[in-house]
Amino acid sequence: MSSRRTKTKLAMLAMATFLSAPSAFAQSLADTLIGAYNHSGLLEQNRAVLRAADEDVAQAVALLRPTLDYTARYSYSYAHNNFSGSSNSDGGSVGLTASLMVYDFGRTRLAIDAAKETVLATRDALVGIEQDVLLRGLVAHMNVRRSQEFVSLAENSVRLISEELRAARDRFEVGEVTRTDVSLAEARLASARSTLAAAQGSLAQSREEYRAAVGVYPNSPGAPGALPSTAASLETARDIAVRTHPDMSQAKRSVTVAEINIARADTAKLPTVSAFGELSHSFGDLTVGDTRQDASVGLQLSGPIYRGGALASATRQAIANRDAARGSLHFVRHSLGLEVGNAWSSILVAEASVRAGTQQVRAAQEAFDGTREEAQLGARTTLDVLDAEQDLLDAQAELVSAQIDVYVATYQLLSAMGLMTVDHLNLGIPTYDPVAYYNAVKDAPAGLSKQGQDLDRVLRAIGKD
């Protein structure tokens, strides 16, 4: 019996440590998360969306600057009638026009403010995408480990039942058991092989999901290590989510943008004062030197009188959009509370399952060892041994799944709190800096300037990547 207790302790030790034991050439969880971050095309897409939003600020700033346009025109005419005969003439002109918006009651400044708030909201959206990408990588990593453990358990079951089948056949040959015992073992072996095939299929699917999330097939996903710290209580976790989650910040900024747009819609009803200057050179028949130069400067006051109700409609629309943004903010707050609560409950359930599963595996292992020894003495049937083995396999699988569920639920809670980011997880890799591009374009550099040419080189490099 001492050998049985020793085997039981070894089995329990293996089950308790499989999530922390290192594997040779294993891909650590950090490796997986880094791979997911660097591989994600979704992050690249939303970084480009953010750069486009940065350019909206530059375009709004450009409206405060003078503009210079050129015109060039040439025409040739030919006429013929029966009395005077034929005649032809040609002429043309070139000109420059400069204009500058002098005063528009703050309409352009409001457009700049709205564009800046939109940039900040888009940055928040990018952080949200980062969280989704990292969480997908985490789930893929843990599911591969889960599938690998299920395959290992199924392979062990096939080996064990094969041994029981050989023993049953040997005992049948000497008349200790009936043909029924052999058939039961054969049927259970076929079932175990079917379970193994299903587990191998599930592992293949998990590997494909890992490749989609990380960009490479998993070699041997390593142990996840210690659980990350989250919050001391459910209410604390919810408070952190409201303060730090990017969805909440994005919703708040969307409300701000909507309120600015109401003011923009109101100022659209007011006039605009602009300064202008024009210089032109016109020429007629070049053979006779027919030329003319004109120049003018001035101020222009322009504004709407009647637009068919469009201006009033734009104001009402802006108010409706503001109300919708406020409703979205309320919805996001409650959705985050729900996500945090669900993740918190999942952790509690998984932890309870681990505690119960540990006791169940211990008891199932002892029952299996005892049943097997009693069968060798003729006190138990082959069916009893197979049933005990199946109970042990089920208990081991449930414990493995519960242990992994604890990790997945903990990281889901971290994501719901807004902390599933490269910086918070201390992955130690260079990350995309959204401020750098914004600072380069916020002053609207011209295309021919040194700064503009540097930006063109950056964009060409990004496109090649």
Side-chain angles (χ1 to χ4, degrees):
M1 295 298 292
S2 61
S3 63
R4 188 180 71 188
R5 286 194 295 269
T6 300
K7 288 190 291 183
T8 300
K9 291 180 180 179
L10 290 175
M12 289 303 304
L13 180 62
M15 292 302 300
T17 60
F18 91 95
L19 283 175
S20 59
S23 303
F25 309 107
Q27 292 162 310
S28 69
L29 179 57
D31 292 336
T32 294
L33 297 179
I34 292 171
Y37 181 83
N38 291 330
H39 166 70
S40 175
L42 193 59
L43 279 173
E44 290 296 332
Q45 172 192 350
N46 283 272
R47 288 166 185 165
V49 170
L50 177 57
R51 291 194 295 271
D54 293 340
E55 296 294 352
D56 286 337
V57 176
Q59 292 171 26
V61 168
L63 296 176
L64 295 175
R65 296 178 178 172
T67 63
L68 182 64
D69 300 304
Y70 69 89
T71 59
R73 178 183 178 184
Y74 174 79
S75 63
Y76 173 82
S77 61
Y78 171 80
H80 174 78
N81 61 60
N82 294 330
F83 298 100
S84 59
S86 300
S87 65
N88 60 72
S89 64
D90 64 349
S93 65
V94 294
L96 294 175
T97 301
S99 63
L100 173 65
M101 191 279 296
V102 178
Y103 187 67
D104 65 352
F105 293 88
R107 185 163 53 251
T108 301
R109 288 293 178 184
L110 289 171
I112 294 173
D113 292 341
K116 288 180 177 179
E117 286 295 325
T118 301
V119 165
L120 295 176
T122 309
R123 289 182 189 175
D124 292 328
L126 181 59
V127 176
I129 296 297
E130 178 183 337
Q131 288 209 139
D132 294 341
V133 166
L134 294 178
L135 184 60
R136 183 185 181 188
L138 176 279
V139 173
H141 183 100
M142 299 309 297
N143 281 342
V144 170
R145 286 188 61 84
R146 188 198 311 265
S147 298
Q148 286 178 334
E149 291 298 326
F150 284 176
V151 168
S152 178
L153 289 173
E155 288 173 343
N156 289 336
S157 177
V158 169
R159 285 194 294 269
L160 187 59
I161 296 176
S162 296
E163 293 175 3
E164 292 297 330
L165 176 59
R166 285 193 296 270
R169 285 172 175 169
D170 292 341
R171 294 169 67 188
F172 173 73
E173 292 295 333
V174 299
E176 292 183 2
V177 298
T178 66
R179 180 61 189 174
T180 301
D181 293 279
V182 176
S183 298
L184 286 172
E186 290 174 342
R188 191 62 61 89
L189 179 59
S191 176
R193 287 172 174 166
S194 175
T195 300
L196 174 59
Q200 290 170 336
S202 179
L203 175 59
Q205 293 176 347
S206 298
R207 286 172 53 81
E208 291 297 332
E209 168 58 19
Y210 187 99
R211 181 177 181 274
V214 183
V216 296
Y217 282 111
N219 178 18
S220 177
L227 286 168
S229 59
T230 53
S233 67
L234 175 58
E235 289 307 316
T236 301
R238 282 180 171 146
D239 291 340
I240 294 174
V242 171
R243 293 196 309 269
T244 64
H245 200 283
D247 288 356
M248 193 69 187
S249 180
Q250 183 183 7
K252 290 179 180 178
R253 296 194 185 283
S254 295
V255 172
T256 302
V257 171
E259 291 173 342
I260 293 174
N261 286 336
I262 294 176
R264 291 177 63 191
D266 289 337
T267 58
K269 305 170 186 176
L270 302 176
T272 300
V273 178
S274 302
F276 66 89
E278 296 177 350
L279 176 65
S280 64
H281 176 82
S282 304
F283 57 89
D285 191 344
L286 296 178
T287 59
V288 297
D290 183 10
T291 63
R292 176 180 174 178
Q293 292 81 32
D294 294 286
S296 63
V297 295
L299 290 175
Q300 176 178 298
L301 176 68
S302 61
I305 297 177
Y306 178 68
R307 296 281 179 86
L311 296 178
S313 175
T315 299
R316 294 193 300 270
Q317 183 183 54
I319 293 173
N321 288 334
R322 187 272 315 275
D323 294 341
R326 288 177 176 175
S328 177
L329 176 61
H330 180 77
F331 175 79
V332 169
R333 178 188 293 270
H334 286 279
S335 295
L336 291 178
L338 176 62
E339 289 182 19
V340 170
N342 287 342
W344 190 273
S345 297
S346 296
I347 292 174
L348 296 180
V349 171
E351 288 176 342
S353 297
V354 168
R355 291 191 295 270
T358 301
Q359 297 174 355
Q360 183 182 4
V361 168
R362 182 184 297 112
Q365 182 71 58
E366 293 178 354
F368 172 70
D369 292 339
T371 302
R372 199 175 189 185
E373 291 184 7
E374 292 171 4
Q376 292 174 352
L377 299 175
R380 293 282 185 172
T381 66
T382 301
L383 179 60
D384 293 332
V385 175
L386 295 176
D387 287 342
E389 189 273 338
Q390 186 63 49
D391 290 342
L392 176 59
L393 176 64
D394 292 342
Q396 290 172 332
E398 290 175 4
L399 178 57
V400 167
S401 190
Q403 289 171 322
I404 290 177
D405 286 343
V406 170
Y407 276 85
V408 173
T410 300
Y411 279 95
Q412 286 175 336
L413 175 60
L414 207 64
S415 177
M417 293 166 60
L419 302 177
M420 188 74 179
T421 62
V422 169
D423 291 338
H424 184 80
L425 296 176
N426 295 320
L427 295 181
I429 58 172
T431 57
Y432 182 78
D433 183 7
V435 179
Y437 189 85
Y438 173 82
N439 288 338
V441 303
K442 66 179 181 179
D443 296 326
L448 297 179
S449 68
K450 182 180 184 304
Q451 187 175 357
Q453 293 174 351
D454 290 342
L455 280 170
D456 289 340
R457 284 193 292 271
V458 170
L459 290 176
R460 284 195 295 269
I462 293 174
K464 291 178 181 178
D465 291 342

